[in-house]
């Protein structure tokens, strides 16, 4: 299936900054690339950590930012106050679904449990064919190397196909990452290994 034009991109990232300045610098660089390419940033709507840095950068560069925040965080005052558009939803599941509906592709910056879970959910939906959207990660300071090692092990042990590991776009340079997402094509294989296809 041909990949639709890339008009918007959902970015999952930490609500903390991380201990290295390289993480903040990477969020700035990615935000600049998103704005320069005329893409709409879709993200979790808060002003915290790398999420706030990313949104601030896109806005400062004249880009558009759509935030999706859950009601609990909104009521605690965590909504970024200068977004182009925002949605308040009831819970985290609705937040992810709304972000997915607004985005043409997904990128993860370094982050914690929520960031990793969001990336894997988006990639799983691509694997299953529930959507045909590229998923990638900005590999700052080798942050995602252990994740790729885990996926390599899953392939070696017969729990996933190499095509589904390889559909994740991993790059250390924001511009290269976005370029590769633009030309990405979904793998045309089923998920089952040595089983009847259903």
């Amino acid at each position: 299936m041909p990949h639709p034009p890339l008009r918007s991109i959902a970015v999952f990232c930490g609500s903390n900054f991380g201990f290295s300045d390289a993480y903040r610098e990477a969020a700035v660089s990615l935000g600049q690339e998103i704005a320069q390419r005329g893409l709409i940033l879709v993200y979790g709507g808060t002003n915290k950590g790398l999420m706030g840095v990313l949104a601030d950068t896109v806005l400062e560069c004249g880009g558009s930012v759509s935030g999706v925040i859950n009601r609990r965080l909104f009521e605690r005052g965590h909504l970024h106050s200068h977004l182009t558009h925002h949605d308040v939803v009831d819970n985290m599941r609705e937040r992810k679904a709304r972000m997915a509906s607004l985005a043409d592709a997904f990128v993860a910056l370094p982050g914690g449990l929520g960031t990793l879970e969001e990336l894997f959910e988006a990639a799983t939906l691509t694997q299953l064919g529930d959507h045909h959207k590229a998923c990638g990660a900005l590999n700052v300071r080798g942050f995602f190397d252990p994740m790729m090692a885990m996926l390599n092990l899953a392939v070696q042990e017969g729990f996933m196909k190499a095509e589904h590991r390889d559909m994740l776009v991993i790059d250390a340079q924001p511009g290269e990452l976005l370029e590769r997402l633009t030309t990405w094509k979904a793998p045309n294989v089923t998920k089952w290994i040595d089983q009847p296809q259903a």
Side-chain angles (χ1 to χ4, degrees), residues 29 31 108 110 116 127 145 149:
S29 295
L116 297 171
Q127 178 192 41
D145 290 349

Side-chain angles (χ1 to χ4, degrees), residues 2-197:
H3 192 265
L6 201 60
R7 296 158 298 190
S8 60
I9 188 158
V11 178
F12 310 127
C13 57
S15 57
N16 287 302
F17 294 106
F19 291 141
S20 171
D21 290 341
Y23 298 126
R24 187 190 297 261
E25 292 164 4
V28 169
S29 295
L30 179 61
Q32 290 170 340
E33 286 283 348
I34 288 170
Q36 288 167 7
R37 292 166 183 262
L39 300 173
I40 298 169
L41 169 65
V42 178
Y43 88 118
T46 81
N47 52 16
K48 303 293 185 184
L50 296 185
M51 297 172 76
V53 172
L54 179 68
D56 286 343
T57 302
V58 175
L59 292 168
E60 288 166 5
C61 292
S64 297
V65 181
S66 182
V68 183
I69 192 168
N70 67 345
R71 190 165 303 282
R72 179 174 55 84
L73 293 178
F74 174 74
E75 290 174 350
R76 290 169 62 179
H78 289 197
L79 177 68
H80 193 295
S81 58
H82 300 295
L83 301 180
T84 311
H85 174 80
H86 75 268
D87 292 321
V88 180
V89 296
D90 285 337
N91 53 56
M92 293 296 282
R93 288 180 178 172
E94 289 184 21
R95 185 190 201 187
K96 290 185 296 180
R98 179 62 177 153
M99 289 175 67
S101 73
L102 293 172
D104 295 322
F106 306 90
V107 164
L109 279 166
L113 287 174
T115 299
L116 297 171
E117 187 269 339
E118 288 166 331
L119 174 62
F120 278 128
E121 178 172 307
T124 299
L125 294 176
T126 297
Q127 178 192 41
L128 295 175
D130 288 4
H131 62 208
H132 295 86
K133 298 180 180 183
C135 301
L138 187 61
N139 198 19
V140 186
R141 301 183 79 239
F143 185 87
F144 289 99
D145 290 349
M147 178 189 79
M148 294 310 297
M150 186 71 248
L151 295 180
N152 286 336
L153 181 61
V155 171
Q156 292 169 15
E157 295 297 318
F159 289 103
M160 68 184 296
K161 292 182 176 178
E163 291 90 342
H164 291 135
R165 173 200 60 202
D166 296 341
M167 75 182 183
L168 282 168
V169 179
I170 311 296
D171 206 295
Q173 301 301 321
E176 289 296 317
L177 176 61
L178 294 179
E179 199 62 37
R180 290 172 63 191
L181 292 175
T182 300
T183 60
W184 176 90
K185 294 181 180 178
N188 187 27
V189 295
T190 64
K191 73 180 296 292
W192 295 279
I193 300 170
D194 297 331
Q195 296 184 75
Q197 307 302 303

